[in-house]
Amino acid sequence: MTGAASATLAGGGAGCILQPGTGFSATAAKPGGKRLPYGQFAFQAVGCDPGSSVTLTLTYPQPLAADATFWKFGPPTAGAAPAWFQWTGATLSSDRRSVSYVLTDNGPGDSDPAAGRFSDPFAPAVAAADPAAAPVSIPVDAPWMLALLSALVGTLAWRKRTTA
């Protein structure tokens, strides 16, 4: 992706702010069978009202792919171990450049168990390339046979050209 992406935080109470270090970045960990061509957006918000909800809106410089799905890293349910899981509550704009989602303090996807604090990695993902669809070379067990076949085809083409 070329160009600058941006993020806005709304809600959470009067003191709710994004921590420094919040932003877009690459990530080595990915959901299974997915690529993250737009990287991830990871943020921490502090000073929020306990139990409140925040709305994040991410704006990308280019439209997201038609097959983009949205994934979060964190506990998919209360008390669960953090993992990548598909986030179905995201809303994509008609021009496919902005996505908004709501996160609730200590709800699914909030990786910070402290009241009034949010920690959230979020990423649009696309299907990874199918390795079965990648071109592969065909081994030749008898290179002399390939050379003979090439010579035969060449001879037939030369012969047809001289008789025409």
Side-chain angles (χ1 to χ4, degrees), residues 49-157:
D49 295 340
S52 64
S53 294
V54 294
T55 300
L56 252 308
T57 301
L58 307 176
T59 303
Y60 295 89
Q62 300 159 350
L64 299 179
D67 65 338
T69 55
F70 303 103
W71 292 75
K72 293 187 50 27
F73 186 82
T77 58
W84 280 105
F85 64 98
Q86 190 167 3
W87 187 258
T88 57
T91 303
L92 185 61
S93 65
S94 60
D95 67 357
R96 305 190 65 79
R97 292 183 56 200
S98 295
V99 60
S100 295
Y101 65 100
V102 176
L103 192 64
T104 301
D105 186 24
N106 292 322
D110 182 7
S111 297
D112 191 329
R117 294 177 59 99
F118 291 86
S119 180
D120 175 53
F122 177 87
V126 296
D130 180 6
V136 288
S137 61
I138 300 172
V140 177
D141 289 337
W144 62 270
M145 184 62 97
L146 183 60
L148 180 64
L149 182 61
S150 296
L152 179 62
V153 168
T155 302
L156 291 174

Side-chain angles (χ1 to χ4, degrees), residues 2-18:
T2 58
S6 65
T8 56
L9 175 74
C16 192
I17 60 167
L18 291 175

